[in-house]
Amino acid sequence: MNSAKHPIQAVQRTLDIVDVLREQREARVTDIADELDLSKGTIHCHLATLEQNGYVVKNGQRYALGLQFLDLAHHAKNRVDIYDITQAEVDALAAESGEMALFTVEEHGEGVCLYKAEGEDAVQTELYVGYRNGLYHTAVGKALLAFMPEERREEIIEETEFEQITPNTITDPDELREQLAEIRERGIAYNHEETIQGLVGVGAPIRDQDGTLYGAVSLIGPVSRMEDERLTEELPQLIRRAVNIIEVNITSL
Amino acid sequence: MNSAKHPIQAVQRTLDIVDVLREQREARVTDIADELDLSKGTIHCHLATLEQNGYVVKNGQRYALGLQFLDLAHHAKNRVDIYDITQAEVDALAAESGEMALFTVEEHGEGVCLYKAEGEDAVQTELYVGYRNGLYHTAVGKALLAFMPEERREEIIEETEFEQITPNTITDPDELREQLAEIRERGIAYNHEETIQGLVGVGAPIRDQDGTLYGAVSLIGPVSRMEDERLTEELPQLIRRAVNIIEVNITSL
DNA sequence: AGCGTTCGTTTAACACACCCAAACATTTAA
DNA sequence: TTAAATGTTTGGGTGTGTTAAACGAACGCT
């Protein structure tokens, strides 16, 4: 009996091994065997298979993720049609504002950063291309939630485990729903130190004429620079302009 | 009897499926089943396992690579210690020269592009981060070959299948060995339209004091701009400076 | 040097997990 | 409404992945 509830064991083991390598950067056969509670022989076979395919490299006894994943990442990214167009505009946003600019899409109910550009004064964060975030506590996330089909939104909110990351993080589904309604009216979403203390974000969704949601862009920076009319006027204006250019270009795809 | 010669079948199948998705961007169960000559049920189970882990997404009937690979790519990249340092210098190279600048490392006997930066007049190529190239026909590739341990070099040359990509491509192992000796003396490697007609490259290796090879950087541009003393003096000078800065920084790791 | 430890790798055999074919469900086309 | 083509589920047989144990290689130690 195989189905979604019964994943293929051998494949799942391989993915678990990959996950260990992702977290550890380097690991030996024994380390992984201990970690996953499997025999050394098993781990060895899996690693050999992965290595043959370029997904794993070994120097001496240490195994690590292979660069073949870069190729897959490239192809996964280019599946998103608007990637190229958006990249240029996010660069522009970063340059104009001096802050860090991000392009994020939704996948499996989470936000995935697809591109980031650093302006001159950009904050340094651990955020990287591929980083996954809960949608409920970021500017892009709320922008995405606000403008996706209601059905999908409720599905995601239902499955979300709200976590109090900072004092400002929204942990009540109904409070979130209220904010999302406001965002739909305003067209702009904010993150008031809900993810990291001292960090504020402004974001907006990217949609085509039919209202189909493609992703969202945002600017993030320190609370000291993100206040008053810069936060309520200047930056939203920059973002609106960028989103507009992207949306115009969607039609010509 | 399991060993490197007998990879785990189920895992290999999953990797084959991923490979199909890489090439096709989108595929249905039946497409993949036909392509790999496996039953639909089998493909379905594999895809379900991959989807549960975020490595595959499906809209309707169509399956595609998931963005989880971006995360793995990030971690695979950051395994290369000098990535951060090099990135900044490659950016500088691109800005100073106006051409396209690349950072490449060797893996499994091939060159893998880890970072690219586009100068103002940069040529547009299909080359992307993660792109794999034969070492024998690129500037970075020859720079890597020239300065790696002789044993490894011969091992790679032995396994290489030389292909006449352009009229200028080197297809004779001994001719390659001669060029590599010159490159070792000069410290600079060239690609004279050996990969793409009209495209010229200049590259140099990155090494530490012990002579350990870390990777190589290069500038590539149209033959019309890559001639005379710009090719023999100006660009090599830029590259030497960049490499030097990187090499100095290696010590402080 | 020689021993002991600690790895990775190989081996053979058994349990069971994967694959298939076919039935079912679901969508698309006519 | 019917028909065709697709995704999904099922159960059973076989070939395969797992394991434990033995082997070999590479250290570090006294």
Side-chain angles (χ1 to χ4, degrees), chain A residues 2 8-10 28-30 40 44 58 61 63:
Chain A
N2 282 326
I8 298 177
Q9 195 192 63
R28 298 169 313 165
V29 171
T30 310
K40 289 189 295 175
H44 175 72
K58 82 176 194 196
Q61 302 195 331
Y63 288 86

Side-chain angles (χ1 to χ4, degrees), chain A residues 10-11 13-14 17-18 41-58 63 68-69, chain B residues 2-16 108:
Chain A
V11 175
R13 295 214 160 134
T14 282
I17 291 171
V18 167
T42 302
I43 304 297
H44 175 72
C45 285
H46 282 267
L47 287 173
T49 306
L50 284 169
E51 197 197 1
Q52 273 193 316
N53 289 268
Y55 292 112
V56 147
V57 286
K58 82 176 194 196
Y63 288 86
Q68 185 66 27
F69 284 116
Chain B
N2 284 323
S3 80
K5 282 156 191 168
H6 295 258
I8 298 177
Q9 196 190 64
V11 175
Q12 188 60 53
R13 298 221 154 126
T14 282
L15 297 181
D16 290 342
H108 288 292

